[in-house]
């Protein structure tokens, strides 16, 4: 229910709206008295009302908006946060190479800069489309860099991190541009030189997103704007109403990290007999199994280009489209259709109805996902049914199809690290596991998602999922189990990695004295006998050390006991860490004999001054090249 305004009409706003109706190019967003609002660009308005060139500011090609500089500053500002492991929510924590990270993706991307710099082969994101009803991250630019270190702006006073960006908001485009710009700027650095990024987007911000990506990735690295059809219902709506056409399309932007990137020659994603790849067409070999009946039509000579399973799936997709408009194949057939004409060309299955003279009268529809020239046209029906099949109810209503993400994965190798920092229902993780099961690949995923609360009226909330992260993690668990069950007879399926390590963004493990020792005074000494927060575990410390040293968060971790102390052996001796106190010469000697590249312990961990005096000599004797660090 809306509140009464309880004030007189704002004539300025009304007049700005009127000018916007006549001259939409003359209304923009600008900062006035420190507040971004809709304003009139009087230079443009003067030109619109003049029949001569109006003198004004020098024109130049640029793309900017209020707070753009602050957005760049925000992307570059350091933070003192960490990622804490959650074993109880993980699956196969010790063996998996997959990650599920909960938290603000801006901060998570910053934390990953050291560890995953130039290591990610593919990024796919499906950010808010800014339709006027989407939630966007509310980044706080009203802080100095020093204040940002203390409070990254992750939550507002009410504890909310995301706000609904209504199209009536004076910062409608500004907030969205600030949100996406800083995150893409950080994401680019994670891509390896032959890496690719796919970004789903709608009409609302599609043009602006292309300009942002051209600036961040470079125009020469723009490779395609892939067309996606939203679904039969939106397509049919274009013909049911005549006041406007429905938005039947959305897009996936494709950029590469470097202009030297070359697409793989073969991007055959699915096996031919399993609703298969793009290059599986008949080239003259006689295959009797490719002659079968479609709508009572069986080739007398030649053969279908597709396998039977793929064709049946195409027909099922066609029926799904008809379901959207309340018709069936049978009812269509009754509408004066004399017979069916069925044709399979290089890209799709065509269903045409014929007039009595045998000529095609009406093009019905393609019935399977297609590749036309350099664009994809996909019916986005079935994503909600994928979720419903796994959960028993539609707990997430905007999921992307796993088949679409699998097609993207054809652009990278089978060992790629794949990142999705708007994870949502974790479709990307599902697609990675599914494709690994099909082709024996070893792709790894990193999902990042803010634990955004679900609406109390939603199916997700009623099913017990209080935030989106709970849905995503449960989907990976269920999808992994389903994939293994469906492929239980396949050789090597037991090695398929369907696990994931859950890590959660949190404040640093270190007390303030660790970062600002100059602020310490004598009266504080009793409280600061330890520089580590009391509620943090040794494994919490380990993961912050791994982030700091640039060690992959999916690395193998072996927990050992040496002389009664807990020792972490990471990546087969690359890092050895011990966070226990009272370490003796014997313990240090055994650690040094392991010859780690790094050894890390807490400050003041050594049992006595004598052990401290012997520490360097022990390492010099057994492992002189080990880099030794303390917290």
């Amino acid at each position: 229910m809306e509140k009464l305004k309880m004030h007189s009409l704002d004539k300025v706003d009304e007049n700005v709206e009127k000018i916007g109706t006549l001259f939409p190019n003359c209304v923009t967003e600008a900062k006035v008295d420190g507040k971004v609002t809709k304003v009139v660009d009087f230079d443009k308005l003067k030109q619109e009302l003049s029949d001569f060139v109006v003198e004004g500011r020098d024109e130049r090609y640029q793309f900017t908006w209020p707070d753009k500089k602050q957005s760049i500053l925000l992307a570059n500002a350091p933070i003192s946060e960490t990622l804490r492991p959650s074993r109880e929510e993980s699956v196969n924590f010790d063996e998996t190479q997959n990650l599920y990270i909960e938290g603000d993706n801006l901060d998570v991307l910053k934390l990953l800069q050291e560890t995953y710099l130039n290591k990610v082969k593919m990024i796919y994101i499906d950010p808010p489309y800014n339709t006027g009803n989407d939630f966007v991250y509310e980044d706080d630019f009203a802080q100095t860099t020093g204040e940002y270190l203390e409070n990254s702006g992750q939550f507002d006073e009410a504890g909310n991190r995301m706000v609904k960006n209504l199209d009536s908001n004076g910062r409608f485009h500004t907030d969205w541009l600030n949100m996406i710009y800083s995150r893409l700027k950080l994401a680019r650095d994670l891509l390896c030189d032959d890496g690719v990024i796919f970004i789903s987007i709608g009409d609302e911000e599609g043009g602006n997103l292309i300009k942002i990506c051209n600036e961040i990735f470079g125009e020469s690295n723009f490779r395609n704007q892939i067309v996606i059809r939203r679904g039969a219902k939106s397509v049919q709506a274009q013909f049911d109403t005549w006041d406007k056409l429905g938005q039947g399309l959305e897009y996936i932007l494709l950029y590469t990290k470097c202009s030297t990137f070359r697409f793989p020659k073969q991007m055959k994603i699915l096996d031919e007999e399993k609703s298969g790849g793009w290059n599986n067409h008949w080239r003259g070999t006689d295959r009797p199994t490719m002659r079968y009946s479609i709508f009572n039509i069986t080739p007398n000579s030649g053969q279908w280009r597709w396998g039977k399973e793929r064709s049946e799936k195409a027909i099922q997709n066609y029926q799904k489209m008809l379901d959207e408009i309340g018709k069936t194949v049978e009812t269509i057939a009754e509408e004066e259709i004399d017979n069916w004409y069925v044709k399979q060309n290089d890209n799709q299955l065509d269903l045409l109805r014929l007039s009595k003279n045998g000529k095609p009268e009406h093009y019905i529809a393609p019935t399977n996902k297609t590749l036309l020239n350099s664009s994809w046209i996909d019916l986005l029906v079935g994503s909600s049914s994928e979720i419903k099949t796994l959960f028993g109810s539609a707990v997430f209503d905007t999921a992307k199809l796993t088949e679409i993400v699998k097609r993207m994965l054809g652009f990278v190798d089978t060992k790629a690290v794949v990142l999705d920092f708007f994870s949502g229902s974790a479709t990307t993780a599902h697609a990675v596991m599914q494709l690994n099961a099909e082709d024996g690949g070893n792709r790894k995923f990193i999902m990042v998602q803010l634990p955004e609360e679900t609406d109390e009226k939603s199916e997700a909330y009623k099913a017990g999922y209080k935030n989106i992260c709970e849905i995503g993690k449960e989907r990976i668990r269920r999808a992994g189990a389903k994939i293994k069950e469906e492929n239980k007879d396949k050789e090597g399926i037991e090695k398929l990695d369907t696990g994931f390590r859950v890590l959660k963004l949190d404040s640093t493990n270190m007390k303030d004295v660790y970062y600002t020792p100059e602020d310490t005074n004598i009266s504080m000494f009793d409280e600061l006998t330890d520089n580590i927060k009391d509620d943090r575990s040794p494994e919490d410390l380990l993961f912050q050390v791994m982030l700091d040293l640039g060690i992959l968060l999916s690395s193998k971790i072996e927990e050992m006991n040496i002389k009664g102390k807990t020792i972490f052996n990471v990546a087969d001796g690359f890092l050895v860490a011990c966070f226990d106190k009272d370490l003796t010469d014997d313990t240090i000697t055994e650690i040094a004999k392991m010859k780690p590249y790094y050894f890390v312990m807490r400050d003041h961990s050594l049992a006595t001054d004598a052990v401290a005096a012997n520490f360097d000599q022990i390492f010099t004797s057994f492992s002189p090249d080990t880099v030794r660090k303390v917290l």
Side-chain angles (χ1 to χ4, degrees):
M1 184 178 296
E2 295 184 0
K3 292 184 178 180
L4 294 171
K5 293 192 294 289
M6 301 298 286
H7 60 71
S8 63
L9 185 66
D10 188 331
K11 296 294 291 183
V12 172
D13 286 347
E14 183 183 18
N15 290 334
V16 169
E17 291 297 326
K18 289 178 179 178
I19 291 174
T21 301
L22 293 172
F23 306 105
N25 63 314
C26 296
V27 175
T28 185
E29 296 172 11
K31 186 173 287 188
V32 179
D33 296 329
K35 180 182 178 182
V36 175
T37 185
K38 287 184 178 179
V39 298
V40 175
D41 186 328
F42 288 104
D43 290 331
K44 288 185 178 179
L45 183 60
K46 287 177 183 178
Q47 189 60 67
E48 291 287 355
L49 300 176
S50 303
D51 57 3
F52 56 89
V53 176
V54 177
E55 296 297 328
R57 293 173 296 179
D58 291 339
E59 295 178 327
R60 59 183 172 133
Y61 182 81
Q62 62 177 343
F63 177 55
T64 191
W65 61 89
D67 286 333
K68 183 177 181 181
K69 292 181 180 179
Q70 290 281 10
S71 182
I72 296 172
L73 177 65
L74 183 65
N76 294 333
I79 59 172
S80 56
E81 298 188 11
T82 190
L83 297 176
R84 300 177 66 187
S86 177
R87 279 184 171 268
E88 63 276 11
E89 297 180 47
S90 304
V91 174
N92 197 17
F93 185 95
D94 291 321
E95 302 296 331
T96 185
Q97 293 184 297
N98 301 317
L99 302 176
Y100 189 98
I101 305 176
E102 293 188 25
D104 175 4
N105 53 17
L106 178 67
D107 291 341
V108 172
L109 288 171
K110 290 184 178 186
L111 291 176
L112 297 181
Q113 289 297 299
E114 184 76 21
T115 306
Y116 289 90
L117 184 71
N118 298 323
K119 289 186 173 68
V120 175
K121 271 288 182 73
M122 176 183 136
I123 296 175
Y124 169 60
I125 58 171
D126 182 20
Y129 282 10
N130 208 25
T131 61
N133 215 27
D134 287 307
F135 285 86
V136 297
Y137 291 74
E138 187 177 49
D139 295 322
D140 188 353
F141 299 121
Q143 304 178 70
T144 64
T145 301
E147 290 171 332
Y148 186 82
L149 291 175
E150 299 177 7
N151 174 24
S152 68
Q154 186 171 347
F155 299 98
D156 62 19
E157 293 178 357
N160 300 313
R161 183 63 183 84
M162 301 186 79
V163 295
K164 186 171 285 190
N165 195 32
L166 301 175
D167 53 12
S168 58
N169 177 17
R171 299 179 59 98
F172 178 63
H173 291 291
T174 296
D175 283 345
W176 191 89
L177 292 169
N178 285 330
M179 180 274 295
I180 200 69
Y181 186 87
S182 54
R183 288 160 175 81
L184 288 177
K185 194 171 185 297
L186 289 166
R188 181 187 181 278
D189 292 335
L190 300 181
L191 279 178
C192 52
D193 288 344
D194 57 348
V196 296
I197 180 169
F198 295 89
I199 310 172
S200 287
I201 196 65
D203 291 320
E204 297 79 10
E205 296 289 355
N208 285 335
L209 183 59
I210 288 176
K211 293 175 184 176
I212 284 179
C213 289
N214 284 346
E215 181 173 317
I216 292 175
F217 297 99
E219 285 189 65
S220 62
N221 291 317
F222 170 74
R223 297 309 177 104
N224 211 335
Q225 178 170 292
I226 299 159
V227 181
I228 301 291
R229 192 188 310 166
R230 281 179 169 168
K233 184 176 291 186
S234 61
V235 174
Q236 181 66 22
Q238 298 181 22
F239 303 100
D240 292 340
T241 60
W242 297 100
D243 56 336
K244 64 177 180 179
L245 292 177
Q247 290 185 337
L249 300 176
E250 59 188 59
Y251 312 94
I252 299 176
L253 301 185
L254 170 57
Y255 281 79
T256 56
K257 175 75 173 285
C258 297
S259 57
T260 55
F261 178 89
R262 294 294 177 266
F263 293 114
K265 292 182 179 180
Q266 294 288 333
M267 292 184 292
K268 183 175 178 180
I269 297 178
L270 301 176
D271 184 79
E272 178 178 334
E273 297 302 326
K274 294 183 178 179
S275 354
W278 299 344
N279 301 307
N280 62 344
H281 307 315
W282 177 53
R283 291 293 180 265
T285 303
D286 183 48
R287 298 175 63 188
T289 58
M290 300 296 279
R291 290 194 287 273
Y292 50 85
S293 175
I294 299 179
F295 294 115
N296 296 321
I297 299 174
T298 303
N300 294 321
S301 61
Q303 55 205 32
W304 295 121
R305 290 179 181 267
W306 296 350
K308 185 177 181 181
E309 289 185 17
R310 183 179 183 187
S311 294
E312 288 175 347
K313 183 175 180 181
I315 294 169
Q316 290 172 4
N317 287 343
Y318 176 63
Q319 182 59 64
K320 287 178 182 178
M321 188 186 76
L322 294 178
D323 290 342
E324 295 282 348
I325 60 177
K327 294 185 178 182
T328 65
V329 172
E330 289 74 18
T331 58
I332 290 287
E334 292 173 0
E335 296 176 358
E336 299 181 358
I337 301 177
D338 298 301
N339 50 49
W340 286 101
Y341 171 65
V342 185
K343 176 185 177 183
Q344 290 179 327
N345 60 30
D346 282 357
N347 301 307
Q348 63 195 33
L349 178 69
D350 297 332
L351 294 182
L352 307 172
R353 64 182 181 185
L354 304 181
S355 62
K356 291 182 179 180
N357 62 13
K359 294 182 180 179
E361 181 183 73
H362 179 65
Y363 176 74
I364 300 292
T367 62
N368 197 40
K369 300 172 183 65
T370 65
L371 175 67
L372 298 178
N373 298 324
S374 58
S375 297
W376 303 344
I377 300 179
D378 286 275
L379 281 177
L380 288 185
V381 292
S383 57
S384 60
S385 64
E386 285 183 340
I387 294 290
K388 193 170 183 179
T389 299
L390 283 174
F391 287 86
S393 61
V395 297
F396 201 92
D397 57 6
T398 58
K400 290 295 182 285
L401 279 167
T402 56
E403 294 297 326
I404 295 177
V405 181
K406 283 165 62 180
R407 184 171 291 183
M408 299 175 195
L409 292 168
F411 285 79
V412 295
D413 63 71
T414 59
K415 296 181 180 180
V417 175
V418 180
L419 168 66
D420 184 344
F421 54 90
F422 285 93
S423 172
S425 68
T427 299
T428 300
H430 190 163
V432 166
M433 294 187 298
Q434 183 69 53
L435 192 54
N436 282 344
E438 292 171 6
D439 66 7
N442 188 31
R443 304 166 186 86
K444 280 79 69 175
F445 63 75
I446 303 174
M447 301 291 103
V448 182
Q449 177 61 45
L450 187 77
E452 178 189 348
E453 294 183 356
T454 54
D455 191 297
E456 293 185 5
K457 298 178 181 178
S458 67
E459 289 294 321
Y461 190 90
K462 294 174 184 176
Y465 302 103
K466 299 302 185 291
N467 63 60
I468 292 178
C469 290
E470 292 180 6
I471 298 173
K473 289 178 290 188
E474 183 62 17
R475 179 180 184 178
I476 301 173
R477 296 185 192 104
R478 296 188 182 206
K482 184 172 183 286
I483 290 167
K484 282 193 170 181
E485 175 61 26
E486 292 174 343
N487 294 273
K488 60 185 177 182
D489 297 329
K490 190 171 184 177
E491 184 178 356
I493 193 64
E494 69 280 357
K495 297 179 181 179
L496 180 67
D497 187 357
T498 58
F500 55 95
R501 282 182 180 173
V502 174
L503 305 174
K504 297 188 178 185
L505 183 71
D506 205 335
S507 62
T508 176
N509 297 312
M510 315 308 292
K511 293 179 180 178
D512 291 342
V513 64
Y514 187 88
Y515 302 101
T516 55
E518 67 278 3
D519 294 334
T520 306
N521 56 60
I522 295 177
S523 64
M524 300 168 62
F525 281 177
D526 289 340
E527 304 174 19
L528 301 177
T529 54
D530 197 339
N531 60 5
I532 296 171
K533 293 177 180 176
D534 296 334
D535 64 339
R536 302 306 165 97
S537 69
E539 204 162 55
D540 289 335
L541 299 178
L542 178 66
F543 273 85
Q544 186 159 5
V545 168
M546 291 168 67
L547 282 170
D548 196 72
L549 297 179
I551 299 172
L552 294 181
L553 301 176
S554 58
S555 297
K556 179 182 177 182
I557 301 172
E558 182 183 2
E559 187 174 319
M560 309 168 61
N561 187 290
I562 296 179
K563 305 295 183 181
K565 303 299 181 183
T566 299
I567 310 296
F568 293 101
N569 180 349
V570 181
D572 296 322
F574 186 75
L575 164 67
V576 172
C578 179
F579 306 112
D580 289 351
K581 296 181 180 180
D582 299 322
L583 301 184
T584 63
D585 284 348
D586 290 341
T587 307
I588 297 299
T589 299
E590 292 301 314
I591 291 172
K593 287 180 178 179
M594 296 172 67
K595 300 183 184 300
Y597 185 87
Y598 285 111
F599 170 63
V600 178
M601 65 180 183
R602 296 168 74 150
D603 198 8
H604 307 302
S605 284
L606 302 179
T608 64
D609 290 343
V611 177
N614 295 333
F615 179 83
D616 284 332
Q617 184 57 47
I618 292 173
F619 268 95
T620 299
S621 299
F622 293 101
S623 186
D625 295 329
T626 294
V627 179
R628 292 148 256 170
K629 293 181 176 289
V630 296
L631 292 178

